[in-house]
Amino acid sequence: MKWHVQPSTIDGTVTLPGDKSIAHRALMLGSIAVGKTVIENLPEGEDVQSTARCLRDLGVPIVLQGTQAAVDSTGRYFASSSPLDAGNSGTTLRLLAGILAGQPFTTSITGDASLRRRPMRRVIEPLELMGASIRSAGGRAPLTISGGSLRPIRYVMPVASAQVKSCILLAGLYAGGSTAVVECFRTRDHTERMFAATGIELVEEDGSIRLEGGQRPRPFDVAAPGDLSTAAFFFAAAVLTGGSLTAMSCGVNPTRTGFLRALEEMGAGVHVAEEREIMGEPVADVTVASDSLSAMTVQPSEVPLLLDEIPLLALLATQARGVSFIRGARELRFKECDRIRAVSDSLTALGANIQEVDDGFVVTGPAPLHGGTVTSYGDHRLAMMLAIAGSVATGKVTIEGAEAASVSFPQFVDVFRECGGVLYVH
Ligand code: S3P
């Protein structure tokens, strides 16, 4: 599928589907709780559907009705006769691996070609230290996990990854004793917040997160907050095209709001109103308004707090006055595609002055973008970032492989048009 995007002003008020990271965790915690969990505002993107499918294949009764999921679980999984398919979703595979390591049977789990290229040693190593036995294709999926009762570990993480941290914390529920994770940089803490909200005690001290094995979550009802990483596309578009955009009921967990802080540093107006809490997660109505942009620097410790928004930040930097530095982001090379290569190649093709470095970008702006044909590299965030680039370019931008967007946000085209975007699908 191709998208053709023409210049326009992006403006308005949107209510976006629930946060993908929170939705994966809610389905998984609901699946190991005994009783009925109801999740509202579940995003309809393929990634979250992959988690629901894997859990169903493990015998968990899940009823999906539009954006509602009801999980009526006995808290037990049953061996699946065929390999589980996590699709394109790293969060599904890595988090579920932690729970599977605690099950007294063997499960294989795999995914699409992109997921099968991504590194899995980062979860294999700690789970094997805990006593699980895991076969892999040279450190990549498919993984065949033989689980059982686990040993607790204290694990100092070699990479900053919320998926790895969450995998170990989930496995820690099945370990006899106290499991601790030490992060090199703070990453998104949705797992910790949801554990606390469902009655699982954890202790955070001296940079480590510790929990006692044997605990299980209580069943719960939750309406997932709007996904800030989805809102970010529309915020960036408003800033770049002279508009103003409000996202209602949007998650503003401080381990996710690095993008809003970067926008402020660049000179955009950011206003957070009506802050409230849903299951330990801060939620607010967030408005971002355009202004003239200046360059910014992202420090390595900030990278996990705006990780998925870096393609958008690179785009914003192309239109900001001065030289922007985004460094310490080598992890982007291991996402749905090599996002450092893909972002710099595609923005260069549209006229940007962006230099790829090993761990990020150096961007000199402003450089007007022109029309052209670019590709999504099969990556949902690339497809949508390039559509935003099209709204600020001087000519028509064609994005090949645009169907990738449905992994996280199948409604992108409709919402983009509602906000004034000019996009034809073909
Ligand atoms: C996620 C963590 C991040 C992020 C991904 C979702 C999560 O990956 O990029 O989209 O839900 O835990 P890392 O594991 O690299 O932090």
Side-chain angles (χ1 to χ4, degrees), residues 398-413:
T398 297
I399 300 134
E400 293 175 339
E403 66 280 356
S406 60
V407 154
S408 61
F409 192 30
Q411 307 88 338
F412 175 81
V413 170

Side-chain angles (χ1 to χ4, degrees), residues 158-293:
V159 286
S161 162
Q163 293 174 352
V164 175
K165 171 178 65 176
S166 303
C167 168
I168 299 167
L169 292 176
L170 286 163
L173 297 176
Y174 298 89
S178 171
T179 294
V181 182
V182 182
E183 295 198 272
C184 45
F185 289 124
R186 186 146 184 70
T187 64
R188 63 188 66 191
D189 64 0
H190 303 301
T191 301
E192 296 93 305
R193 286 173 189 258
M194 204 175 285
F195 273 17
T198 58
I200 297 174
E201 283 177 26
L202 33 73
V203 181
E204 296 190 35
E205 63 184 9
D206 304 332
S208 81
I209 306 154
R210 201 176 70 237
L211 60 76
E212 288 299 318
Q215 304 185 75
R216 293 292 181 273
R218 287 189 294 265
F220 54 93
D221 288 351
V222 68
D227 196 326
L228 180 60
S229 294
T230 302
F233 293 102
F234 300 94
F235 291 148
V239 167
L240 289 168
T241 65
S244 163
L245 198 288
T246 300
M248 305 296 286
S249 301
C250 186
V252 286
N253 177 321
T255 60
R256 292 285 294 282
T257 47
F259 182 67
L260 296 179
R261 290 190 286 277
L263 282 177
E264 271 181 321
E265 187 189 329
M266 297 179 91
V270 176
H271 183 63
V272 177
E274 303 286 333
E275 198 162 330
R276 52 217 187 257
E277 242 188 46
I278 297 178
M279 263 188 88
E281 289 284 348
V283 177
D285 302 334
V286 182
T287 301
V288 171
S290 168
D291 210 327
S292 62
L293 296 179

Side-chain angles (χ1 to χ4, degrees), residues 16 39 76 105 166 180 198 251 278 344:
L16 294 168
I39 308 157
R76 291 188 58 204
F105 50 76
S166 303
T198 58
I278 297 178
S344 62

Side-chain angles (χ1 to χ4, degrees), residues 122-135:
R122 51 185 62 198
V123 292
I124 295 173
E125 184 187 279
L127 293 177
E128 285 190 335
L129 287 172
M130 295 178 86
S133 146
I134 304 183
R135 270 189 292 117

